[in-house]
Amino acid sequence: MDIDQLKYFQSVAETKSFTEAAARMNLSQPALSRSIQRLEEEFGQPFFERKPRCVELTDAGLLFQRSATQILRIVEDAKAEISDDGETGKIRVGAIPTIAPYFLPDLLRQFSDEFPRSHLIVHENTTDELLKRIKQGEIDLAILAEPITEKYVEVKPLLEEELYLLLPPQHALCEKKRIRLEDVEEESFVMLDEAHCLSENIHSFCRQRSILPVAVERANQLATVQELVSLSHGISMIPAMARRLDRSKRRVYRSFTKPRPSRTLVCVTNPYRFQSRLFREFRERLCSYARSFGEG
């Protein structure tokens, strides 16, 4: 068994296709198949179940994948540590969907301009999935929203941002400049799917004040929530960063009276992994960017 075989195995496991994996690894399909076959013969177990349109990991394959992932991460960390020049390298950044499109673009552009030999890769997913990838070493850093209850990760606050009330322009509450939470107690809400932590942020704030928002519709993207509110499907709460980029005149935003609902953005890393000079540079600029972003 060698490192290349582990990489080939991982590629097939990720793509679920020998054809796609071979193309990704710039290898002929017969050569890839022979490499996997030798690996399976060495361990005396089939790692893949060949199906008509795809391949799936067997139980033995799932066990081997965990070890293969750890070995490849160790090798990758060793290479990064040896060739740590502070200018070249790969940084894998995770972010939840209610942060990534609003917060990341300018940050990534600024960092790429300053470090043109770096390679930034963005993974957008839910909080639970990103925390899992942080612990497994599949991403280097995640930008999430509190609360973070996962153990054995490092959590650093970045900024706190207000959650605004979102209304259709003809709604009666548009006449008010400041809204009390009690004013929306009987209103119907358009919310994000429960997998998104923003929904829990809203529910948590309301529960503390003995109010439970009633969701009549759920969506997977903030842009969809905004459009549904524009069509008078209900009202909602939207983070300040999403409001900042909204140029539509078909929606109205209002602040609540104090205490205002808010969420805290955090940077989550794995303290047990090697952190290159380039990674530390990115984290430092992330914190600086977050401070200026919060003041903007």
Side-chain angles (χ1 to χ4, degrees), residues 7-293:
K7 291 179 180 178
Y8 300 157
F9 168 85
Q10 285 287 64
S11 185
V12 176
E14 290 171 3
T15 62
K16 297 184 178 181
S17 166
F18 278 88
T19 302
E20 291 184 31
R24 176 192 286 188
M25 303 303 296
N26 196 25
L27 194 70
S28 70
Q29 185 173 336
L32 176 65
S33 297
R34 286 195 298 271
S35 178
I36 297 297
Q37 184 177 1
R38 287 196 297 270
L39 195 61
E40 291 175 322
E41 289 173 351
E42 182 175 346
F43 283 85
Q45 293 284 346
F47 288 153
F48 295 100
E49 180 182 355
R50 279 72 170 173
K51 295 184 176 181
R53 296 187 178 181
C54 69
V55 294
E56 296 284 353
L57 286 168
T58 62
D59 290 343
L62 288 170
L63 287 173
F64 184 72
Q65 186 182 35
R66 289 200 289 268
S67 298
T69 298
Q70 292 175 354
I71 293 169
L72 290 173
R73 295 305 175 205
I74 291 171
V75 171
E76 186 176 329
D77 283 351
K79 287 182 178 178
E81 190 169 1
I82 292 170
S83 60
D84 188 14
D85 61 4
E87 296 182 0
T88 60
K90 182 189 302 181
I91 301 176
R92 294 156 299 195
V93 182
I96 54 178
T98 58
I99 292 177
Y102 311 103
F103 182 80
L104 283 182
D106 284 342
L107 170 65
L108 299 180
R109 184 163 48 248
Q110 292 173 20
F111 191 81
S112 294
D113 288 344
E114 188 173 357
F115 296 89
R117 295 164 62 195
S118 66
H119 186 199
L120 298 172
I121 302 172
V122 176
H123 298 262
E124 185 178 311
N125 216 313
T126 61
T127 297
D128 288 345
E129 183 62 28
L130 291 175
L131 286 172
K132 176 183 174 183
R133 294 187 181 186
I134 280 284
K135 295 185 74 172
Q136 292 178 344
E138 296 178 6
I139 59 176
D140 302 302
L141 174 151
I143 305 170
L144 309 173
E146 287 189 334
I148 304 297
T149 58
E150 192 75 28
K151 296 181 179 179
Y152 312 117
V153 295
E154 183 176 1
V155 181
K156 183 178 181 62
L158 292 174
L159 67 92
E160 184 174 355
E161 67 166 353
E162 182 178 353
L163 300 181
Y164 286 88
L165 180 66
L166 176 62
L167 303 162
Q170 70 277 13
H171 199 285
L173 289 176
C174 293
E175 300 299 322
K176 293 189 174 186
K177 294 300 181 182
R178 288 288 187 270
I179 311 293
R180 298 174 307 153
L181 193 59
E182 293 79 6
D183 293 333
V184 302
E185 187 172 3
E186 303 298 326
E187 297 287 341
S188 299
F189 274 72
V190 179
M191 305 280 279
L192 283 173
D193 187 87
E194 292 178 351
H196 296 274
C197 61
L198 178 60
S199 294
E200 178 54 31
N201 292 149
I202 295 170
H203 278 292
S204 177
F205 178 81
C206 293
R207 278 198 303 268
Q208 292 172 15
R209 287 146 188 87
S210 301
I211 292 175
L212 181 63
V214 178
V216 292
E217 289 190 60
R218 290 192 178 271
N220 286 319
Q221 296 182 352
L222 277 179
T224 305
V225 171
Q226 290 169 314
E227 286 302 317
L228 289 172
V229 171
S230 297
L231 296 171
S232 299
H233 285 227
I235 65 175
S236 193
M237 291 189 197
I238 298 292
M241 61 177 60
R243 179 207 176 188
R244 186 183 300 187
L245 296 182
D246 190 359
R247 300 290 181 263
S248 174
K249 295 181 179 180
R250 299 183 297 115
R251 296 182 278 272
V252 175
Y253 293 88
R254 290 286 183 266
S255 288
F256 285 93
T257 54
K258 294 182 179 179
R260 295 171 184 164
S262 64
R263 68 172 180 172
T264 301
L265 273 58
V266 295
C267 167
V268 181
T269 56
N270 184 339
Y272 302 101
R273 291 201 66 213
F274 169 71
Q275 297 178 349
S276 68
R277 290 167 56 194
L278 183 69
F279 170 81
R280 295 196 297 271
E281 291 281 3
F282 179 82
R283 186 174 55 187
E284 180 179 325
R285 279 155 181 76
L286 166 62
C287 294
S288 176
Y289 177 79
R291 287 192 295 270
S292 61
F293 190 92

